[in-house]
Amino acid sequence: MKKIEECNRVMDIYLGLDKGERVPLNVTLHLLTCAKCRKQVKGLKKAEKLARAPLEIPVPIDDSTILAVMHKINPQYSELKNPISITKWIIYGLAMIVFMLAFGLSKFQESNKGVMISFYIVFALAVSAYCAIFVGTNMDYFVKMMTTKKTAA
Ligand SMILES: [Zn+2]
């Protein structure tokens, strides 16, 4: 009978403790000698941990954290995202178009219809191939752009 009273008293003290407060020596000594209370404390700690878990602040999922994770998975990922590479693509594309137009205009003087038609077919194929490769290699950029627009709307 006296043992149960002692257990209740110890558990009362234990439950009255503030978080992080040092467990009094008599409680510790009781826990060392009493398996029943030890089990209760263990269960309480487990319950406390479970109850606290959903309250923990989740890591905010934003662009920088996703980028950091992606960068860890693939160090080249951020380079794909780099707007400089997009600018480079546009510059090369414009240069190609300018070159093609200059080539076409110079050929125009010859007024050879066969050459002109084959030139424009090659030109159209080159531009569409370029666009396909551009979109294909920068797919994540376009997907990101689209999803950003969607969330902004
Ligand atoms: Zn006890």
Side-chain angles (χ1 to χ4, degrees):
M1 251 342 197
K2 194 146 194 289
K3 172 96 169 76
I4 289 165
E5 273 171 34
E6 174 68 8
C7 285
N8 287 339
R9 198 177 65 83
V10 163
M11 285 314 291
D12 270 355
I13 295 166
Y14 185 84
L15 290 169
L17 291 173
D18 283 330
K19 206 185 155 194
E21 196 180 324
R22 187 206 282 268
V23 179
L25 189 66
N26 60 336
V27 174
T28 309
L29 284 173
H30 180 84
L31 290 175
L32 283 172
T33 54
C34 177
K36 189 173 89 80
C37 289
R38 239 186 356 250
K39 209 173 161 187
Q40 268 189 324
V41 166
K42 215 173 163 184
L44 280 167
K45 278 188 175 165
K46 215 179 209 171
E48 194 197 341
K49 208 175 172 184
L50 282 171
R52 199 175 46 213
L55 293 174
E56 274 168 12
I57 302 156
V59 176
I61 305 291
D62 56 31
D63 284 359
S64 60
T65 48
I66 292 167
L67 203 66
V69 169
M70 288 310 290
H71 194 82
K72 226 166 214 175
I73 296 163
N74 179 7
Q76 288 179 322
Y77 184 78
S78 60
E79 279 155 46
L80 280 174
K81 282 244 184 243
N82 198 335
I84 290 164
S85 72
I86 300 284
T87 316
K88 229 188 240 170
W89 269 98
I90 291 162
I91 289 164
Y92 288 150
L94 286 173
M96 187 179 72
I97 289 162
V98 167
F99 173 77
M100 289 281 196
L101 282 175
F103 182 77
L105 287 172
S106 71
K107 285 280 171 196
F108 217 105
Q109 287 155 358
E110 292 173 25
S111 63
N112 186 328
K113 266 194 179 158
V115 170
M116 283 313 294
I117 288 163
S118 48
F119 167 74
Y120 280 116
I121 289 167
V122 169
F123 181 48
L125 282 174
V127 169
S128 33
Y130 179 84
C131 288
I133 294 162
F134 174 50
V135 171
T137 53
N138 296 282
M139 197 52 102
D140 61 327
Y141 175 80
F142 288 103
V143 168
K144 188 184 182 288
M145 213 163 67
M146 278 186 268
T147 49
T148 311
K149 266 186 187 161
K150 216 179 266 177
T151 47

